[in-house]
Amino acid sequence: MSLARRASAELAGTALLVAAVVGSGIAAARLSPHDAGLQLLQNAVATALALGALILTFGPVSGAHLNPVVSAVDWWLGRRASTGGLTGSELAAYVAAQCAGGVLGAVLANAMFDLPAVTWATTARAGGHLWLAEVTATAGLVLLVVTLARTGRTGAAPAAIGAYIGAAYWWTSSTSFANPAVTFGRMFSDTFAGIAPGSVPAFVAAQAAGGLLALAAATWWYPHAARDSADVVVPHDQEVTYR
């Protein structure tokens, strides 16, 4: 697969992921306006199912990283082993595509629900407890991804990763953004899933810290994890037979 094809898959996949997050949040707020718990449940279930489906759709093309932290870890592991993973230029293309996709996804969700294309989010999300939650959620996600690749269970990635994110909506105080591109995109929609621009830098920093923590843990627990960097999130960039 050419880099252009892989990057376009990352853009489209991240856009659809953010559209699912933001769109289901808007729908939940409209359908259950007086029940915050039900709104969160609806948002979490829709996001978990959409994420699993998107990994199945885009995984064979780009690996379905859909997350700059996952891509950065993939680059680092491949750099150590020289057996796969992203190169520096590929990492830059992936991250740019993911962030652009995050914005397009928010704009798409706004348009589908007859809202202005861009409305800057006003929901402030700040505080040490939320940043700790983002470190924890991102570390768990990255560790799961690396473990699945290292143990040859990438076939379970769509269900496992979708389940993890869906559950983390509930057991983290931040509702588990765990993704800088998604975080960036969500500031373009002043809706249930939005995050104020001023809150974004700290969230992204916490997510990066979580990625580093997961990388350290994976390197310790799986000394040869770098050998499987080409299989993150799922095996990709291989010859595909179309029928």
Side-chain angles (χ1 to χ4, degrees):
M1 291 289 179
S2 68
L3 178 57
R5 287 184 177 179
R6 287 182 284 149
S8 68
E10 287 294 300
L11 186 149
T14 308
L16 290 174
L17 174 58
V18 173
V21 173
V22 175
S24 63
I26 297 171
R30 292 182 178 181
L31 294 171
S32 309
H34 305 298
D35 193 332
L38 184 56
Q39 291 173 15
L40 184 61
L41 177 61
Q42 293 163 339
N43 192 207
V45 170
T47 300
L49 294 176
L51 180 55
L54 291 171
I55 292 172
L56 287 171
T57 302
F58 296 104
V61 181
S62 67
H65 293 185
L66 314 181
N67 186 329
V69 175
V70 172
S71 295
V73 168
D74 180 66
W75 164 77
W76 179 257
L77 291 175
R79 180 174 174 269
R80 288 180 59 231
S82 300
T83 57
L86 299 177
T87 64
S89 59
E90 289 171 334
L91 172 63
Y94 266 49
V95 172
Q98 292 156 356
C99 290
V103 176
L104 290 176
V107 171
L108 175 61
N110 289 336
M112 289 193 295
F113 285 89
D114 197 26
L115 297 173
V118 173
T119 53
W120 292 107
T122 56
T123 303
R125 303 176 188 264
H129 63 295
L130 297 180
W131 303 331
L132 176 61
E134 282 301 294
V135 171
T136 305
T138 308
L141 172 63
V142 173
L143 186 59
L144 172 61
V145 168
V146 173
T147 298
L148 290 172
R150 181 66 189 97
T151 57
R153 295 179 293 168
T154 53
I161 295 172
Y164 176 85
I165 291 298
Y169 259 80
W170 289 88
W171 63 262
T172 65
S173 58
S174 64
T175 66
S176 183
F177 285 47
N179 185 328
V182 170
T183 304
F184 182 67
R186 287 168 69 163
M187 73 179 185
F188 289 86
S189 182
D190 190 20
T191 56
F192 178 82
I195 177 173
S199 299
V200 169
F203 260 56
V204 171
Q207 292 156 1
L212 290 172
L213 180 62
L215 184 59
T219 302
W220 176 250
W221 288 327
Y222 301 103
H224 304 295
R227 297 177 182 174
D228 304 287
S229 57
D231 294 338
V232 172
V233 169
V234 295
H236 58 284
D237 199 20
Q238 300 172 353
E239 182 177 351
V240 180
T241 300
Y242 296 94
R243 294 182 176 84

